[in-house]
Amino acid sequence: QVQLIESGGGLVQAGGSLRLSCAASKRTFNSYRMGWFRQAPGKEREFVAAVSWSGGTTYYADSVKGRFTISRDNAKNTVYLQMNSLRPEDTAVYFCAAEMIGAGRYEYWGQGTQVTVSS
């Protein structure tokens, strides 16, 4: 079982920045691929970014490429999402998720943190 706790959400003006953090309880944190997802009101949850267990490979949704950066610190059991040049359409609840290597799906989810971007 992995517990994930997100933090760092808030209200920011368009063009501003936020950094989200997700702390994991598992000591074998580096056995998990980590991802960030988001869900806006009335919309389905969507993929934002992911990072491999080593941090060496990252993946991004087209909508955030060049603006968001995912990273991880395995020594701190934490994954980050640096969000720059924020837009009102980035407003959503952001969730982090963990996928055990080889599992094929994200098995563990955090409770989410709200990000609101005002125009």
Side-chain angles (χ1 to χ4, degrees), residues 23-89:
S25 62
K26 198 74 172 180
R27 289 186 177 184
T28 55
F29 177 71
N30 60 2
S31 297
Y32 293 82
R33 178 161 71 175
M34 299 299 296
W36 285 97
F37 293 76
R38 67 187 182 187
Q39 187 167 20
K43 295 187 177 181
E44 293 187 352
R45 186 171 58 195
E46 64 175 0
F47 168 78
V48 174
V51 60
S52 63
W53 67 271
S54 67
T57 304
T58 55
Y59 313 83
Y60 296 95
D62 288 343
S63 59
V64 307
K65 277 182 184 176
R67 301 188 298 123
F68 291 10
T69 302
I70 189 171
S71 61
R72 66 189 295 162
D73 185 339
N74 287 341
K76 295 182 178 180
N77 288 2
T78 301
V79 61
Y80 305 97
L81 185 67
Q82 178 66 44
M83 306 185 294
N84 298 329
S85 301
L86 282 162
R87 305 167 180 168
E89 54 264 39

Side-chain angles (χ1 to χ4, degrees), residues 84-100:
N84 298 329
S85 301
L86 282 162
R87 305 167 180 168
E89 54 264 39
D90 294 318
T91 295
V93 178
Y94 283 71
F95 301 88
C96 73
E99 175 190 341
M100 181 73 173

